Amino acid sequence: MTQIPFIEIDSYRVGAGHPCFVIAEIGINHNGDLETAKRLIDASVAAGCDAVKFQKRTPELCVPEAQKGLERNTPWGRITYLDYRYKVEFEQSDYAEIDAYCREQGILWTASCWDEPSLAFVDRFAPAFHKVASAMLTNDDLLRAYKACARPLLVSTGMSSMDEIRHAAEVLGDDLPWMFLHCTSTYPAKTDEINLRMMDTLRQEFGRPVGYSGHEVGLQISLAAAALGADALERHITLDRAMWGSDQAASVEPPGFARLVRDIRVVEAAMGDGVKRVYDSELPVRAKLRWSH
């Protein structure tokens, strides 16, 4: 596997020695409401995030046949799962507005696509990068479609074996700028199942930047991931963790997201370069306190 020190996403270099690329995962936490999506974009900008991410599906392709007719209680009443999936999907006019709004706010956006028509739909907006959801890591046809888009690609590795991850790497090849994000696909993830050291395993085996996509509760683990060298970090953002939706409980509210980004930048500044030096600020203390023969 070719050694790749960093990948370029728009004006960002994502890799060792460069700031952690922070993605606020809006996903479907907007519950199909465009104004809620804009408020989440605003919160992501205010927090200092580099990008926001949505999710895009073609429901009739992505919902298993056995689940399409199952009914569930939703904010729109008791409806089938297929109808619910349509309720939380944004269409052309919505994404055109999201695209314009993100450009106006100065933040990148993308959407993880769960099927090839959705990928073709999102790619028409020319996002700065694409994102593969963990569930799609084993979908070779979709990976090849992503590869054909020739955009930087982030690939989550939740619920995947090392053999599945290696196979995905083979499908993607060496020509495309891509990287893996370590991930545990439970919502919320258990602390003892997060295994942040997997980032080192992925980096050593594939020779590429590695990030972390977190579904845990709280901020400590994501901050630790950044301190351990996550080149990109993705967390779900929500206006209120009590909102309806399957991802809300594992999401971070705006004040917490702002603290997370702030603390990541503080940790980055403190990490340094590993070269021992005496700082000018230490000289007066040295002159006063240093023992000498």
Side-chain angles (χ1 to χ4, degrees), residues 168-201:
E170 290 176 3
V171 172
L172 293 172
D174 290 339
D175 298 331
L176 186 74
W178 60 266
M179 60 183 285
F180 284 130
L181 302 187
H182 171 57
C183 178
T184 301
S185 294
T186 46
Y187 301 80
K190 298 178 182 178
T191 301
D192 59 358
E193 294 181 351
I194 288 174
N195 194 13
L196 289 179
R197 288 193 174 92
M198 262 304 299
M199 292 192 299
D200 288 336
T201 301

Side-chain angles (χ1 to χ4, degrees), residues 24-251:
E25 160 85 61
I26 293 173
I28 55 173
N29 280 353
H30 50 72
N31 284 336
D33 181 71
L34 189 57
E35 291 308 309
T36 299
K38 287 182 178 180
R39 289 177 63 194
L40 287 164
I41 292 168
D42 290 341
S44 303
V45 171
C49 298
D50 302 306
V52 294
K53 187 181 80 67
F54 295 87
Q55 295 177 19
K56 181 63 178 162
R57 295 172 175 85
T58 305
E60 65 267 26
L61 296 179
C62 294
V63 176
E65 286 297 326
Q67 296 183 28
K68 287 181 178 178
L70 296 180
E71 293 189 348
R72 64 183 300 176
N73 294 318
T74 75
W76 305 277
R78 189 166 179 82
I79 58 177
T80 66
Y81 185 63
L82 182 61
D83 287 339
Y84 154 69
R85 293 304 326 180
Y86 275 113
K87 290 286 189 184
V88 295
E89 286 298 329
F90 286 146
E91 300 303 331
Q92 177 73 32
S93 60
D94 301 311
Y95 273 111
E97 198 162 339
I98 286 169
D99 181 60
Y101 195 72
C102 286
R103 291 178 189 277
E104 176 185 314
Q105 298 300 315
I107 192 168
L108 303 179
W109 77 272
T110 193
S112 53
C113 300
W114 291 58
D115 55 83
E116 292 181 53
S118 291
L119 175 58
F121 173 95
V122 170
D123 194 60
R124 286 196 291 270
F125 289 97
F129 67 104
H130 280 305
K131 169 71 196 302
V132 180
S134 293
M136 295 295 109
L137 179 135
T138 55
N139 186 333
D140 289 3
D141 289 339
L142 185 57
L143 290 182
R144 293 187 184 99
Y146 271 112
K147 184 176 178 179
C149 292
R151 303 190 193 280
L153 186 62
L154 279 60
V155 184
S156 279
T157 59
M159 56 185 158
S160 303
S161 68
M162 279 304 298
D163 284 344
E164 290 169 335
I165 293 169
R166 292 184 185 109
H167 178 74
E170 290 176 3
V171 172
L172 293 172
D174 290 339
D175 298 331
L176 186 74
W178 60 266
M179 60 183 285
F180 284 130
L181 302 187
H182 171 57
C183 178
T184 301
S185 294
T186 46
Y187 301 80
K190 298 178 182 178
T191 301
D192 59 358
E193 294 181 351
I194 288 174
N195 194 13
L196 289 179
R197 288 193 174 92
M198 262 304 299
M199 292 192 299
D200 288 336
T201 301
L202 294 171
R203 186 177 289 110
Q204 291 167 11
E205 175 151 353
F206 299 105
R208 290 171 175 266
V210 171
Y212 174 66
S213 178
H215 301 132
E216 71 274 8
V217 173
L219 308 179
Q220 304 98 321
I221 291 168
S222 289
L223 185 59
L228 288 170
D231 299 309
L233 189 141
E234 175 185 79
R235 285 294 304 270
H236 286 260
I237 188 169
T238 181
L239 298 178
D240 185 341
R241 292 179 63 240
M243 287 175 65
W244 189 88
S246 57
D247 294 339
Q248 308 285 2
S251 300

Side-chain angles (χ1 to χ4, degrees), residues 7-24:
I7 66 173
E8 293 188 7
I9 297 178
D10 195 68
S11 61
Y12 298 89
R13 287 186 171 184
V14 182
H18 300 282
C20 181
F21 185 73
V22 180
I23 305 165

